[in-house]
Amino acid sequence: MHSEPIVDTAVNPGKHQSDPEKWVDLHSDFLFSYAYSRINDEELARDLVQETFLAALEKPGAFRGESSERTWLTAIIKYKVIDVYRKKARAFTTKEGYGMPADDEDFFDPELNNWKKEHWPEPFVCKGTDPLEDKEFMDILQKCLQKLPSLWMSVFRLKHMDDEKTEDICKALRLSASNYWVIIHRAKVNLRSCLQKNWI
Amino acid sequence: MSKQLKTRREKILYNCRKATLLIERKHEVELTPRERMELELHLAGCYICRVYEQQSILMNGLMSKIFKAARVEPRLDDAFKDEIKKRIKGRIIRGI
């Protein structure tokens, strides 16, 4: 599907199709909330918005009206967000590979590989019928998520917020496929246990 | 406690670590026929991992919901916006 360029070149002859002086009013709030919701750091999110506009200015030729101006700017800030994830990931991978917290507990018996008895999953009992509609349950999950190491959160954000494919997440965060699965597995087992502990 | 698991069948029957890893992979990729069989065999005999599988699916749904939910977030203030506008303008003028 081809859409028309949003800026009519006939009205602005000689100019490229995007007017940088309008960018801030048109897109800064959107870009800020895009970045903030992904990195959860207000100051850093503001910096990324500014850097995005300045980077876009450097290469006005890159915008050809094939997609909307906002899509173009979002692609730039997305790259910058992933760069933040990657820097955080690197801090971990140099140490132990999977971004494990120091006090990470093994939920499985090291020899037999079955669940340790104290970690046996038990069914969640929800007061309402649907846990998806249970606000209290969601709040607990939210708190449990916040305890995860940042690399694991980055993986979940790319997976659930942006619906990125596994191979793209691995590429973005420079993870091997097996590292990726270890992270998903550890993170889910941890989350599940945190939910069970806090949901009574 | 150091029970020896000899056969391959025995190994997967008791290996909850592997079974739960396969459960996670199954959400995203297609398992090989052997992996599928191993997981089925394990789940048939392991109630705890069946509970885990249900909860794992539930958590994926919950996370999609949480991450995509619109949240009230701090906003950019006008002073900051004016500052960027000035910088953009400055670059454009210098560029010409």
Side-chain angles (χ1 to χ4, degrees), chain A residues 128-147:
Chain A
T129 42
D130 187 0
L132 278 161
E133 302 303 329
D134 197 316
K135 200 182 166 300
E136 211 184 319
F137 194 77
M138 294 291 261
D139 287 345
I140 293 170
L141 180 60
Q142 189 88 261
K143 286 200 187 88
C144 290
L145 276 167
Q146 278 159 15
K147 284 191 222 157

Side-chain angles (χ1 to χ4, degrees), chain A residues 151-159 169 173 175 180 184:
Chain A
L151 174 61
W152 299 6
M153 263 307 253
S154 302
V155 170
F156 278 147
R157 284 200 177 105
L158 287 167
K159 184 171 147 75
I169 299 175
L173 299 176
L175 293 169
Y180 172 87
I184 292 278

Side-chain angles (χ1 to χ4, degrees), chain A residues 107-109 114-122 196, chain B residues 48:
Chain A
F107 294 83
F108 301 96
D109 184 287
N114 54 10
W115 292 94
K116 286 182 186 164
K117 190 146 194 199
E118 65 270 30
H119 293 301
W120 278 12
E122 287 164 30
Q196 181 167 313
Chain B
I48 318 171

Side-chain angles (χ1 to χ4, degrees), chain A residues 27-53 73 76-78 80-81 84 88, chain B residues 71 73-77 80 84:
Chain A
H27 308 299
S28 63
D29 287 323
F30 174 84
L31 293 173
F32 175 73
S33 81
Y34 179 94
Y36 181 77
S37 62
R38 284 164 177 78
I39 54 181
N40 217 13
D41 177 333
E42 198 177 336
E43 203 52 44
L44 190 53
R46 285 159 65 109
D47 288 346
L48 293 191
V49 171
Q50 172 154 298
E51 284 172 25
T52 297
F53 288 136
L73 293 168
I76 299 175
I77 204 164
K78 182 182 177 186
K80 291 183 181 297
V81 166
V84 170
K88 284 185 184 169
Chain B
R71 281 183 292 163
E73 282 158 7
R75 298 183 58 83
L76 288 173
D77 51 285
F80 180 72
I84 316 182

Side-chain angles (χ1 to χ4, degrees), chain A residues 50 122 132 159 166 185, chain B residues 17 20 28 55 65 87:
Chain A
Q50 172 154 298
E122 287 164 30
L132 278 161
K159 184 171 147 75
T166 303
H185 182 231
Chain B
R17 192 196 302 272
T20 48
E28 285 181 54
Q55 294 176 338
K65 197 169 168 179
R87 292 193 64 176

